[in-house]
Amino acid sequence: MSLAARLEKIGRPLVDEQLDHPTVRGIAQGSLDEAVFRSWLEQDYLFLHDYVRVFSRLAWQAPAAHLGDLVDLAHATYHGELDLHRSLSASFGADLDGATKGPACAAYTSFLLESAADYAGGLAALYPCMWGYSTLGRLLADDPPAEPRYRRWVDTYADPGFAELTARIAQMIDESGADPATAERLFLDGMRHELAFWDV
């Protein structure tokens, strides 16, 4: 079993916990209180700016075979995911530019930026966000919400293109020479941050 596959195996119970979280259930059912999603949208908008910085910090250390992928991932995050947040913001009354980080967002972004000081460790730490959202999107797309705004959110993370980016990160983890024990620890820490992020 590859290292990335091992991470996915130990992370799956935490994905199931996310599926059971009231925020995720509300998105899946299309019934989530708009104020809750507005808060999540603002926090995730701030998170994604630092996520781009994580990719950039890793790109500075990356082997040549990985550099282009990290640039592509930063670009996809900045122009794809952030555009989604901007386009949804008006219908939810979100104040993206006026938002400030809450405790969960600040803790998660600090963890990722610190982990990115080490290339292999940084890849393992960020994988929960890519793999977790790709997995959630795929599972929620089996019975998508009728509410169009929440359906758009599900469709974004269920998109095959997002799954391809996730698969490339998995390959890079396997090629990174990461210490398995360290990678597992950082990955699980990231998964716990993912779960805590839904408490908006």
Side-chain angles (χ1 to χ4, degrees), residues 34 37-38 41 85-94 147 149:
E34 289 195 4
F37 192 78
R38 177 170 63 247
L41 195 65
H85 289 55
R86 294 184 189 102
S87 66
L88 288 173
S89 63
S91 64
F92 284 97
E147 209 285 348
R149 295 170 299 175

Side-chain angles (χ1 to χ4, degrees), residues 179-193:
D179 172 67
T182 301
E184 288 183 15
R185 174 178 57 80
L186 290 168
F187 175 80
L188 286 173
D189 284 348
M191 289 297 297
R192 294 183 188 104
H193 280 292

